[in-house]
Amino acid sequence: MLKFIGRRLLQMAFLFVLFLTILFFLLQAQPGDISSQFVGNPEIPPEAKEILRERLGLNESLWGQYTTFIINFFKLDFGVSFTEYPREVSDILLSRLPRTVVLFLTATLLAYWMGFATGKLVAWRRNTKLEHVVTVTGIFLYTVFYPWFAIMMLWIFAANLGWFPVGKFITPSVWNNAPFEANQVFNRMIVVAVLFALFVGVVWYLTRRIGDLDRRKWLRRGIAAGGLVVVAFYWMGSDMRTYAADIAHHTVLPVVTLALVFFAQITLLTRSSMLETLREDYILTARAKGIPERVVRDRHAARNALLPVTTSFVLALAAVIGGGIVTESIFSWPGIGLALLNAVLVEDIPLAIGGLALIGLLSLVGHLIVDILYTFLDPRIRYS
Amino acid sequence: MTSPSASADTLLGTDNILEVDDLTMYYKTRGGYVKAVEDITFDLGKQTALGLVGESGCGKTSVAMSLMGLLPGNAEINKGSIRLDGDELVGLTREELRERRWRDIAMVFQGAMNAWNPVYTVGDQIREAIRYHWEPAPSVEVANARIAELFELVGLAPAMLERYPHEFSGGMRQRAVIAMALSCDPKLIIADEPTTALDVIVQEQILKELKKIQDDLGMAIIYISHDIAVIAEVTEQIGIMYAGRLVELGPTPEVFADPRHPYGLLLLRSTPSIKGPRRKLAPLVGEPADLVNPPPGCRFHPRCPLAEERCAQETPVMEEVSPGHQVACFYWERTAELDIEGV
Ligand SMILES: Nc1ncnc2c1ncn2[C@@H]1O[C@H](COP(=O)(O)OP(=O)(O)OP(=O)(O)O)[C@@H](O)[C@H]1O
Ligand SMILES: [Mg+2]
């Protein structure tokens, strides 16, 4: 296992360097060098320009520039943003990173969890009204033009119904004279959420041997609900509560919008994967064994249908990233995607490159996680 | 339809583990009803092995699935009864059938190569059967001890228990399937082409072992196979099916030596026999009957060299031609004419 992860990490590093190389040459293909972008900027003092040229290695040979470029990346030195001069690009990106990760991760997990459950059920109840309704809705969501869909969501639920704020991360009026930074509160929220997820994971693991499936289900749900109550009490007793609530309120709509599209995709994929699995001989064996139908469905059919759905994540990654950038810009969600988009529009090259590199790195990490997960899901991979 | 003697048997308790009466099962399809099982009647004694043979598509698996209570949604048992150890199975709810499956009747499948779920260990999958059928459900250790015993019985190392199916060869997988079939001490095992996917030597071994296990443990077995030579070796009784109907039933040695149904004769003789004299006979010509619109009367008559006008009008019923040997043919006495011994 460790050997496997080590090998994958090496591959990842190689791919990342390759990715940076491509970025570097795209940069070189531009007319002039990147300093020409800020030569005319009166807000940057001439000494700073010289320092920048030095730091970017623009006085060196092409090969020297290339190595400096690559090495700087591994030192997390992305340079200085032109637009927010003299802020470091890495500083800008790191402060935005949690927001993007939360948006992506919540939407993806929600989509996979709900999509898998729905797809499984729909395949199991083949040729019922439920199946037709879900499939048609799924195909609609899957094929819809996503930016239009996001704007519709915003228009319906924020502008018209007023259930959610119209984009952004916080409501400025609430945060006037706030004793906390938005990121401080947000980080606390992330920590609480991660602890809760760990708690649920441990409960699931500890209850896995309970034979009575109904008892297990309700026990798990009961304990998880208890955990939620504890979390609720924690926030009520915290002086961050108004601020946390404000952030949470802003988070719902972009997460749900992004999740819905992937939910549709996962539902359709799970459905077809499950239908295929149901034709396998081992499903017949499982039925012949006289185990309850629910066990045949979940433990045998769904468990195997999960394999292609898991690998699909790697392929979906590109779409997730694209969707993420669109979501961030439509909901004015101050994450990496929005920063990247703005940087490209105003030609803030260091920020744009930094954003691209970070997104590349994130997708490589996502890929690695899925690969590791897969080895746990499929023993044929684990042992070969 | 039950004869007085049959009901007296039931009252007194018979030596039969399985009694199938007039079993009729159709599949509903867009093209009409597929009459896959029609009026099948047979008894199976305790500890006996019955072979079921017939061309592909004649309904052997359908009979097996009816007995298992494992029919697909479009299948329907129209009439008849299946009594296992005196208990009626036709008309039970799905849940009742599920509880009995594997505990009373276990099955070794056609194409058992893929009978194992790739993501669980073999031991895990056998424990699953045990967990839902033993009363009370045993601990993992007790179950494992039992599985280890069964593994030794079928010739597998008990250490294989915690291995995944892909670590087993084809023959080992099939042995493990047999171990799984034995795990809940069933009264009856149905082996539907249990060895088709395996090479000949492994086939031999496995069937011999199955036979030995049967002698030791004393359950009844129904073998379904294309391989008539195999059936001859391991069964006491043989049933020959044609187009959803049982056309001949009797003690294996007698049926082999002296088949009385023209189809039975042509089928048994069409497999080349290494032992015994070479025979010349009319080949089995024509297509298997269409089960949606089967021929009227005797379903075999369009292909039968002995067919007369009557065969297309009346359906022959099973008739005893010698003790325990039944044939559904009006002209069974003339069947021997077809069996001309050659050089
Ligand atoms: N689920 C089903 N729906 C409709 N027809 C079916 C179904 N299953 C089987 N049949 C039909 O019923 C008939 C009997 O099939 P069955 O599988 O019982 O034959 P078999 O004797 O086991 O054949 P083989 O030797 O090839 O295994 C065939 O004509 C088959 O096409
Ligand atoms: Mg069959």
Side-chain angles (χ1 to χ4, degrees), chain B residues 120-165:
Chain B
Y120 300 117
T121 63
V122 167
D124 188 340
Q125 297 180 57
I126 302 181
R127 279 197 299 273
E128 197 177 35
I130 289 177
R131 187 171 121 205
Y132 286 103
H133 294 300
W134 282 22
E135 291 284 347
S139 68
V140 173
E141 291 72 31
V142 173
N144 276 351
R146 175 70 181 140
I147 300 170
E149 270 173 38
L150 292 172
F151 266 28
E152 277 185 53
L153 193 68
V154 298
L156 286 173
M160 296 296 286
L161 198 78
E162 294 307 334
R163 298 287 187 81
Y164 287 90

Side-chain angles (χ1 to χ4, degrees), chain B residues 27 29 34 36 54-63 72 74 110 192-193 226 291:
Chain B
Y27 295 107
T29 65
V34 180
E55 284 169 316
S56 186
C58 70
K60 305 180 295 292
T61 300
S62 301
V63 170
N74 65 335
Q110 193 163 346
D192 189 353
E193 320 231 7
H226 288 291
L291 289 182

Side-chain angles (χ1 to χ4, degrees), chain A residues 56-257:
Chain A
L56 291 166
L58 293 182
N59 300 330
E60 294 172 48
S61 67
L62 192 62
W63 174 249
Q65 286 187 34
Y66 173 70
T67 44
T68 319
F69 178 81
I70 301 280
I71 289 169
N72 278 349
F73 265 108
F74 280 93
K75 289 196 289 195
L76 279 185
D77 180 0
F78 299 85
V80 176
S81 161
F82 295 167
T83 45
E84 293 189 43
Y85 184 81
R87 223 174 144 198
E88 293 277 335
V89 167
S90 52
D91 182 42
I92 299 177
L93 291 179
L94 283 182
S95 73
R96 285 168 173 254
L97 183 65
R99 297 193 280 255
T100 291
V101 169
V102 164
L103 175 67
F104 273 51
L105 215 58
T106 337
T108 314
L109 290 180
L110 209 64
Y112 268 80
W113 180 42
M114 306 280 292
F116 189 70
T118 315
K120 177 181 89 177
L121 223 64
V122 160
W124 190 250
R125 309 225 181 117
R126 185 106 213 246
N127 295 326
T128 57
K129 209 172 233 142
L130 178 79
E131 193 207 1
H132 300 309
V133 171
V134 169
T135 311
V136 169
T137 317
I139 291 174
F140 167 74
L141 283 174
Y142 181 48
T143 49
V144 74
F145 181 56
Y146 181 64
W148 175 82
F149 177 70
I151 290 170
M152 285 313 283
M153 290 289 285
L154 198 63
W155 184 69
I156 295 172
F157 292 103
N160 266 352
L161 295 174
W163 292 356
F164 299 104
V166 186
K168 297 263 182 343
F169 182 57
I170 51 173
T171 315
S173 59
V174 174
W175 290 75
N176 272 341
N177 305 320
F180 306 105
E181 294 259 341
N183 267 1
Q184 228 178 327
V185 178
F186 195 52
N187 288 344
R188 176 77 59 86
M189 292 168 75
I190 294 175
V191 169
V192 173
V194 167
L195 286 179
F196 178 70
L198 278 178
F199 169 72
V200 169
V202 168
V203 169
W204 249 245
Y205 183 77
L206 290 179
T207 51
R208 76 192 184 287
R209 287 217 189 275
I210 294 180
D212 183 340
L213 293 183
D214 271 317
R215 233 187 85 211
R216 183 172 80 180
K217 188 168 89 185
W218 290 110
L219 192 70
R220 282 174 169 181
R221 287 186 183 179
I223 295 177
L228 271 183
V229 170
V230 172
V231 170
F233 269 107
Y234 168 78
W235 281 117
M236 281 197 289
S238 160
D239 40 4
M240 286 185 177
R241 64 172 180 274
T242 7
Y243 306 107
D246 184 48
I247 292 180
H249 198 201
H250 281 80
T251 316
V252 176
L253 202 53
V255 165
V256 168
T257 306

Side-chain angles (χ1 to χ4, degrees), chain A residues 192-371:
Chain A
V192 173
V194 167
L195 286 179
F196 178 70
L198 278 178
F199 169 72
V200 169
V202 168
V203 169
W204 249 245
Y205 183 77
L206 290 179
T207 51
R208 76 192 184 287
R209 287 217 189 275
I210 294 180
D212 183 340
L213 293 183
D214 271 317
R215 233 187 85 211
R216 183 172 80 180
K217 188 168 89 185
W218 290 110
L219 192 70
R220 282 174 169 181
R221 287 186 183 179
I223 295 177
L228 271 183
V229 170
V230 172
V231 170
F233 269 107
Y234 168 78
W235 281 117
M236 281 197 289
S238 160
D239 40 4
M240 286 185 177
R241 64 172 180 274
T242 7
Y243 306 107
D246 184 48
I247 292 180
H249 198 201
H250 281 80
T251 316
V252 176
L253 202 53
V255 165
V256 168
T257 306
L258 185 58
L260 266 179
V261 176
F262 289 107
F263 161 76
Q265 207 169 324
I266 302 304
T267 303
L268 294 177
L269 187 68
T270 308
R271 175 179 161 275
S272 64
S273 165
M274 181 89 174
L275 286 176
E276 206 154 294
T277 316
L278 282 172
R279 281 197 293 270
E280 297 281 352
D281 286 344
Y282 54 77
I283 298 298
L284 187 62
T285 312
R287 287 220 164 95
K289 274 198 294 193
I291 58 182
E293 281 291 282
R294 193 165 42 158
V295 179
V296 176
R297 182 192 69 191
D298 292 346
R299 197 163 184 268
H300 291 275
R303 176 64 175 71
N304 278 282
L306 185 60
L307 299 178
V309 176
T310 308
T311 28
S312 81
F313 178 75
V314 176
L315 301 173
L317 213 53
V320 177
I321 291 168
I325 294 177
V326 172
T327 312
E328 287 191 0
S329 51
I330 287 178
F331 289 91
S332 321
W333 182 260
I336 308 237
L338 189 57
L340 176 64
L341 196 73
N342 287 334
V344 169
L345 290 179
V346 301
E347 298 194 50
D348 183 346
I349 290 165
L351 187 57
I353 301 253
L356 278 175
L358 194 59
I359 288 178
L361 191 66
L362 285 180
S363 47
L364 283 174
V365 170
H367 198 149
L368 179 73
I369 292 174
V370 171
D371 273 357

